Amino acid sequence: MFEMRSFVISAPVTPDASALLRWYDTHRRVLPWRSLPGQRPDPYAVWLSEIMLQQTTVRAVISYYERFLSHYPTVQDLAAAPLEDVLHLWAGLGYYARARNLHACARRVTEMGGFPQTLAELLTLPGIGAYTARAIAAIAFGVPVVPVDGNVERVTARLYSIEDPLPASRPLLAKHAARLNTDQEAQDRPSDFAQALFDLGATICTPRNPSCLTCPWQKKCMGLKNGVAANLPLKTPKQAKPVRYGVHFLLHDHNQNILLRTRPPKGLLGGMDEIPGTEWRSERWSPAEALAAAPALVNWVARGEIKHVFTHFTLYLMVYEATLPANHNAGIDPSFGAFRTTKRAALPGVMQKCLSLAAPETDAETP
DNA sequence: GATACGTGGCA
DNA sequence: TTGCCAAGTAT
């Protein structure tokens, strides 16, 4: 599009990279996937952490990261694993397409003999987009690029006092962010500069109540000068989430197994396991309607309802529980799944909530 | 460009 | 309790 205002937006003053890097040298966070100063980063560790950190907090990621690294110390180990196992380890972390792409990416990288080091090649890999490609290039390979994540968008919006709302302002923010590293100090330390921006966003330039008084960039921050820093970036209001309802059935056999089925490989919770249930629709299910959809004609006991909030809708699930009589093992349609142990199942958070409503274990589940 | 895609913590 | 937010990507 024609940049009608380009002559008005004079080249903004670049902030002082050396001030940020000096702050980082003192205040950098210690994180399991971060190499220590002077150490060569492991591209596998950088990649694995970046995928996990997409739209996910550091706190939530840490234990998953440690578990993945101990199960799969190298990208070759991950590539050799069955997808099932990877989904099992990922269960609870959310955005399961990331786990499927992670596995596919590990196989591609293994075929290639290692991680590519250029932006263009990284961008061709599954699960790696504009942000992650730059993060890996900068952090693992020292390429002088600026990864633009939510932190960097926020820092940039405040620094240049950009009041256009997200997500429409994303290209503009990216354009400004790309010039943040023009100083020689930033060019010399691409990995530190990228991570310094993340740490600044996570600990100083926070979404709420930013600590502008201790910010290494406070003197250059136009948002602070204009008194609007804490309110930026602006965001266009989100649409209200629709509500959906479903009913799910927790059916035990007599071998510590429950009836489980695997969801279709793509889409919502793709490839993950669930206890069988009804469709998720906008109307509640009557008890009669629900029991007509049950996998077996047994004595179902209502255990309650869970609430689960997805990105784009809120879900209420009624949970019924029963134990199959000893002589009733046949006659369950395979479309409801098969009896398996939860120990090796890939149960997403919403299903873990359903299972949490189960009656306490009793050694004698008397039918 | 808009929408689908999870989850848990926090004000 | 409700809404916002977190190192985004794929289609």
Side-chain angles (χ1 to χ4, degrees):
Chain A
M1 188 172 66
F2 179 58
E3 275 280 327
M4 218 192 305
R5 299 165 55 198
S6 58
F7 67 96
V8 176
I9 305 172
S10 53
V13 180
T14 54
D16 185 357
S18 110
L20 178 64
L21 285 165
R22 259 182 286 123
W23 171 83
Y24 179 71
D25 288 335
T26 315
H27 299 285
R28 71 203 298 271
R29 290 176 293 173
V30 175
L31 298 168
W33 45 85
R34 259 185 197 175
S35 56
L36 294 155
Q39 279 187 335
R40 184 175 300 281
D42 174 5
Y44 171 61
V46 172
W47 163 72
L48 178 60
S49 66
E50 287 302 337
I51 301 299
M52 288 185 164
L53 286 162
Q54 289 167 3
Q55 295 288 281
T56 308
T57 57
V58 165
R59 173 205 291 273
V61 163
I62 288 178
S63 65
Y64 282 85
Y65 174 82
E66 303 282 17
R67 219 170 315 142
F68 262 77
L69 216 56
S70 75
H71 276 79
Y72 311 121
T74 69
V75 69
Q76 290 80 16
D77 297 320
L78 180 54
L83 175 60
E84 234 185 295
D85 293 359
V86 175
L87 291 177
H88 172 70
L89 271 190
W90 196 278
L93 195 55
Y95 284 139
Y96 299 100
R98 291 184 297 171
R100 304 193 298 269
N101 285 330
L102 183 85
H103 187 246
C105 186
R107 296 195 161 175
R108 289 270 297 277
V109 167
T110 298
E111 287 168 10
M112 296 169 73
F115 283 91
Q117 305 191 12
T118 67
L119 213 51
E121 286 179 291
L122 286 165
L123 278 167
T124 67
L125 294 171
I128 297 183
Y131 161 76
T132 305
R134 283 169 178 75
I136 296 171
I139 298 171
F141 300 120
V143 180
V145 289
V146 179
V148 185
D149 70 336
N151 287 308
V152 179
E153 283 180 347
R154 185 171 58 256
V155 168
T156 304
R158 290 171 175 175
L159 197 56
Y160 298 119
S161 198
I162 294 171
E163 303 198 31
D164 310 69
L166 283 168
S169 60
R170 192 148 286 146
L172 178 64
L173 291 172
K175 195 179 291 184
H176 281 80
R179 296 192 217 102
L180 289 173
N181 68 345
T182 46
D183 281 12
Q184 191 59 47
E185 289 91 336
Q187 292 286 311
D188 292 342
R189 299 174 60 185
S191 170
D192 288 342
F193 188 74
Q195 294 178 88
L197 284 172
F198 301 158
D199 284 11
L200 186 72
T203 65
I204 300 283
C205 197
T206 49
R208 289 173 300 231
N209 307 316
S211 308
C212 300
L213 294 180
T214 55
C215 180
W217 278 354
Q218 59 168 293
K219 286 181 189 162
K220 300 247 185 171
C221 184
M222 309 201 17
L224 179 60
K225 195 170 298 180
N226 295 340
V228 294
N231 302 321
L232 298 179
L234 302 182
K235 303 198 174 180
T236 50
K238 289 167 186 165
Q239 280 213 286
K241 292 181 204 297
V243 178
R244 293 187 194 167
Y245 302 93
V247 180
H248 281 253
F249 301 95
L250 174 52
L251 184 59
H252 302 264
D253 69 5
H254 287 276
N255 302 311
Q256 325 305 127
N257 292 323
I258 65 170
L259 191 59
L260 287 172
R261 69 182 172 193
T262 302
R263 295 174 60 90
K266 291 185 179 178
L268 184 64
L269 309 177
M272 303 297 286
D273 295 320
E274 65 179 2
I275 57 175
T278 65
E279 166 200 5
W280 298 344
R281 67 182 196 191
S282 51
E283 300 83 32
R284 279 191 178 282
W285 296 75
S286 72
E289 241 181 336
L291 293 179
L297 290 170
V298 295
N299 185 28
W300 293 105
V301 179
R303 291 301 184 203
E305 191 178 53
I306 63 103
K307 177 187 183 183
H308 193 79
V309 182
F310 288 99
T311 312
H312 49 303
F313 65 96
T314 299
L315 179 65
Y316 292 92
L317 293 183
M318 185 70 201
V319 178
Y320 286 88
E321 184 175 24
T323 299
L324 209 57
N327 57 354
H328 189 297
N329 242 332
I332 289 181
D333 190 285
S335 66
F336 291 109
F339 286 97
R340 291 196 277 139
T341 172
T342 58
K343 286 188 173 31
R344 280 185 292 279
L347 293 169
V350 62
M351 285 299 137
Q352 294 177 28
K353 275 187 199 172
C354 289
L355 294 189
S356 74
L357 296 185
E361 285 272 351
T362 53
D363 286 327
E365 277 277 352
T366 44

